[in-house]
Coordinates of all heavy atoms in Angstrom, one line a residue:
G356 N 33.3 15.2 9.3 CA 32.6 14.7 10.5 C 32.5 15.7 11.6 O 31.4 15.9 12.1
E357 N 33.6 16.4 11.8 CA 33.6 17.4 12.8 C 32.7 18.6 12.4 O 31.9 19.1 13.2 CB 35.0 17.9 13.1 CG 35.9 17.0 13.7 CD 37.3 17.4 13.9 OE1 37.7 18.5 13.4 OE2 38.1 16.6 14.3
A358 N 32.7 19.0 11.2 CA 31.8 20.0 10.6 C 30.4 19.6 10.8 O 29.5 20.4 11.2 CB 32.1 20.4 9.2
G359 N 30.0 18.3 10.4 CA 28.7 17.8 10.5 C 28.2 17.8 12.0 O 27.1 18.2 12.2
Q360 N 29.1 17.5 12.9 CA 28.8 17.5 14.4 C 28.5 19.0 14.8 O 27.6 19.2 15.5 CB 29.8 16.9 15.1 CG 29.6 16.8 16.6 CD 28.6 15.7 16.9 OE1 28.4 14.8 16.2 NE2 27.8 15.9 17.9
A361 N 29.4 19.9 14.4 CA 29.2 21.3 14.8 C 28.0 21.8 14.3 O 27.1 22.6 14.9 CB 30.4 22.1 14.3
L362 N 27.6 21.4 13.0 CA 26.3 22.0 12.4 C 25.1 21.4 13.1 O 24.1 22.1 13.4 CB 26.3 21.5 10.9 CG 25.2 22.0 10.0 CD1 25.2 23.5 10.0 CD2 25.3 21.5 8.6
S363 N 25.2 20.2 13.5 CA 24.0 19.6 14.3 C 23.8 20.2 15.7 O 22.7 20.1 16.1 CB 24.2 18.0 14.3 OG 25.2 17.7 15.2
E364 N 25.0 20.6 16.2 CA 24.9 21.2 17.5 C 24.7 22.8 17.5 O 24.6 23.3 18.7 CB 26.1 20.8 18.3 CG 26.3 19.3 18.6 CD 27.6 18.9 19.2 OE1 28.4 19.9 19.3 OE2 27.8 17.7 19.5
D365 N 24.6 23.3 16.4 CA 24.6 24.7 16.3 C 23.2 25.3 16.8 O 22.2 24.8 16.3 CB 24.8 25.2 14.9 CG 24.9 26.7 14.7 OD1 25.5 27.3 15.6 OD2 24.4 27.3 13.8
S366 N 23.2 26.2 17.7 CA 22.0 26.8 18.2 C 22.3 28.1 18.8 O 23.4 28.5 19.1 CB 21.2 25.8 19.2 OG 22.0 25.6 20.3
D367 N 21.3 28.9 19.0 CA 21.5 30.2 19.7 C 21.9 29.9 21.1 O 21.6 29.0 21.8 CB 20.1 30.9 19.8 CG 19.7 31.5 18.4 OD1 20.5 31.6 17.6 OD2 18.5 31.6 18.2
G368 N 22.9 30.7 21.5 CA 23.5 30.7 22.8 C 24.7 29.6 23.0 O 25.2 29.5 24.0
T369 N 25.1 29.0 21.9 CA 26.2 28.2 21.9 C 27.3 28.8 21.0 O 27.0 29.4 20.0 CB 26.0 26.7 21.4 OG1 25.6 26.8 20.0 CG2 24.9 26.0 22.2
E370 N 28.5 28.6 21.3 CA 29.6 29.1 20.5 C 30.0 28.1 19.5 O 30.2 26.9 19.8 CB 30.9 29.3 21.4 CG 32.0 30.0 20.6 CD 33.2 30.3 21.5 OE1 33.1 30.4 22.7 OE2 34.3 30.5 20.9
S371 N 29.9 28.5 18.2 CA 30.0 27.7 17.1 C 31.3 28.1 16.3 O 31.7 29.2 16.4 CB 28.8 27.7 16.1 OG 27.6 27.5 16.9
P372 N 31.8 27.2 15.5 CA 33.0 27.6 14.7 C 32.5 28.6 13.7 O 31.5 28.6 13.2 CB 33.2 26.2 13.9 CG 32.7 25.1 14.7 CD 31.5 25.7 15.4
A373 N 33.6 29.5 13.4 CA 33.3 30.7 12.6 C 32.7 30.3 11.2 O 31.9 31.0 10.6 CB 34.6 31.5 12.4
Y374 N 33.1 29.1 10.6 CA 32.7 28.8 9.3 C 31.3 28.5 9.2 O 30.7 28.5 8.1 CB 33.5 27.7 8.7 CG 33.4 26.3 9.5 CD1 32.3 25.5 9.4 CD2 34.4 25.9 10.5 CE1 32.2 24.3 10.1 CE2 34.3 24.9 11.2 CZ 33.1 23.9 11.0 OH 33.1 22.8 11.7
L375 N 30.5 28.3 10.3 CA 29.1 27.9 10.2 C 28.2 29.1 9.7 O 27.1 28.8 9.4 CB 28.6 27.5 11.5 CG 28.9 26.0 11.9 CD1 28.3 25.6 13.2 CD2 28.7 25.0 10.8
Y376 N 28.7 30.2 9.5 CA 28.0 31.3 9.1 C 27.6 31.1 7.5 O 26.6 31.6 7.1 CB 28.6 32.7 9.2 CG 29.7 33.0 8.2 CD1 29.4 33.7 7.0 CD2 31.0 32.6 8.5 CE1 30.3 34.0 6.1 CE2 32.0 32.8 7.4 CZ 31.6 33.6 6.3 OH 32.6 33.9 5.3
W377 N 28.3 30.2 6.9 CA 28.0 30.0 5.5 C 27.7 28.6 5.2 O 27.4 28.2 4.1 CB 29.1 30.6 4.5 CG 30.3 29.8 4.5 CD1 31.4 30.2 5.4 CD2 30.8 28.7 3.9 NE1 32.5 29.3 5.2 CE2 32.2 28.4 4.3 CE3 30.3 27.9 2.9 CZ2 32.9 27.4 3.7 CZ3 31.0 27.0 2.3 CH2 32.3 26.6 2.8
V378 N 27.9 27.7 6.2 CA 27.7 26.3 5.9 C 26.3 25.8 6.4 O 25.9 26.2 7.5 CB 28.8 25.5 6.6 CG1 28.5 24.0 6.5 CG2 30.1 25.7 6.0
D379 N 25.6 25.1 5.6 CA 24.3 24.4 6.0 C 24.5 23.0 5.6 O 25.5 22.6 5.0 CB 23.1 25.2 5.4 CG 23.2 25.2 3.9 OD1 23.9 24.4 3.2 OD2 22.3 25.9 3.3
A380 N 23.5 22.2 5.8 CA 23.5 20.8 5.5 C 23.7 20.5 4.0 O 24.6 19.7 3.7 CB 22.2 20.2 5.9
G381 N 23.2 21.3 3.1 CA 23.3 21.2 1.7 C 24.8 21.4 1.3 O 25.4 20.7 0.5
E382 N 25.4 22.5 1.9 CA 26.7 22.9 1.5 C 27.7 21.9 2.0 O 28.7 21.5 1.4 CB 27.1 24.3 2.0 CG 28.5 24.8 1.7 CD 28.7 25.0 0.2 OE1 27.6 25.3 -0.5 OE2 29.8 24.9 -0.2
L383 N 27.4 21.3 3.2 CA 28.3 20.3 3.7 C 28.2 18.9 2.8 O 29.3 18.4 2.7 CB 27.9 19.9 5.2 CG 28.9 19.1 6.0 CD1 30.2 19.7 6.0 CD2 28.3 18.8 7.3
R384 N 27.1 18.7 2.2 CA 27.0 17.5 1.3 C 27.8 17.8 0.1 O 28.4 16.9 -0.5 CB 25.5 17.3 1.0 CG 24.8 16.5 2.1 CD 23.5 15.9 1.8 NE 22.8 16.3 0.6 CZ 21.9 17.2 0.4 NH1 21.5 17.9 1.5 NH2 21.3 17.4 -0.8
V385 N 27.8 19.1 -0.4 CA 28.6 19.4 -1.5 C 30.1 19.1 -1.2 O 30.8 18.6 -2.0 CB 28.4 20.9 -2.0 CG1 29.4 21.4 -2.9 CG2 27.0 21.1 -2.5
M386 N 30.6 19.6 0.0 CA 32.0 19.4 0.3 C 32.3 18.0 0.5 O 33.4 17.5 0.1 CB 32.2 20.1 1.6 CG 32.2 21.7 1.4 SD 33.4 22.3 0.2 CE 32.3 22.7 -1.1
E387 N 31.3 17.2 1.1 CA 31.6 15.8 1.2 C 31.7 15.1 -0.2 O 32.6 14.2 -0.4 CB 30.4 15.1 2.0 CG 30.6 13.7 2.2 CD 29.4 13.1 3.1 OE1 28.5 13.8 3.4 OE2 29.5 11.9 3.3
S388 N 30.9 15.5 -1.1 CA 31.0 14.9 -2.5 C 32.3 15.2 -3.2 O 32.9 14.4 -3.8 CB 29.8 15.3 -3.3 OG 29.8 16.7 -3.6
R389 N 32.8 16.5 -2.9 CA 34.1 16.8 -3.5 C 35.1 16.0 -2.8 O 36.1 15.6 -3.5 CB 34.3 18.3 -3.1 CG 35.6 18.8 -3.7 CD 35.7 18.7 -5.2 NE 36.9 19.3 -5.7 CZ 37.5 19.0 -6.9 NH1 36.8 18.2 -7.6 NH2 38.5 19.6 -7.3
V390 N 35.1 15.8 -1.5 CA 36.2 14.9 -0.9 C 36.2 13.5 -1.5 O 37.2 13.0 -1.9 CB 36.0 14.9 0.6 CG1 36.8 13.9 1.4 CG2 36.2 16.3 1.2
Y391 N 35.0 13.0 -1.6 CA 35.0 11.6 -2.2 C 35.5 11.6 -3.7 O 36.1 10.6 -4.1 CB 33.5 11.1 -2.2 CG 33.1 10.6 -0.8 CD1 31.9 11.0 -0.3 CD2 33.9 9.8 0.0 CE1 31.4 10.6 1.0 CE2 33.5 9.3 1.2 CZ 32.3 9.8 1.8 OH 31.9 9.4 3.0
T392 N 35.2 12.7 -4.4 CA 35.7 12.7 -5.8 C 37.2 12.9 -5.8 O 37.9 12.1 -6.6 CB 35.1 14.0 -6.5 OG1 33.7 14.0 -6.5 CG2 35.6 14.1 -8.0
E393 N 37.8 13.7 -4.9 CA 39.3 13.8 -4.9 C 39.9 12.6 -4.4 O 41.1 12.2 -4.7 CB 39.6 14.9 -4.0 CG 39.3 16.4 -4.7 CD 40.1 16.5 -5.9 OE1 41.4 16.3 -5.9 OE2 39.6 16.8 -7.0
L394 N 39.3 11.7 -3.6 CA 39.8 10.6 -3.0 C 39.6 9.4 -3.9 O 39.9 8.2 -3.6 CB 39.1 10.2 -1.7 CG 39.5 11.1 -0.5 CD1 38.7 10.7 0.8 CD2 41.0 11.0 -0.2

């Protein structure tokens, strides 16, 4: 949820978490699916 929030707020001129350089909405869905699988 925090990653999704950070991704939605990511824009030029804002400080973003370092991981956002490789995360996009598709990659976040992949990670979400993995979490649900593990749970």
Side-chain angles (χ1 to χ4, degrees):
E357 290 171 5
Q360 184 69 29
L362 188 61
S363 70
E364 294 172 355
D365 187 40
S366 63
D367 292 336
T369 62
E370 188 173 339
S371 301
Y374 61 81
L375 283 187
Y376 79 93
W377 67 270
V378 174
D379 60 14
E382 185 64 28
L383 192 58
R384 284 192 347 261
V385 167
M386 293 300 102
E387 184 179 3
S388 68
R389 179 63 175 159
V390 168
Y391 286 132
T392 301
E393 286 300 308
L394 292 175

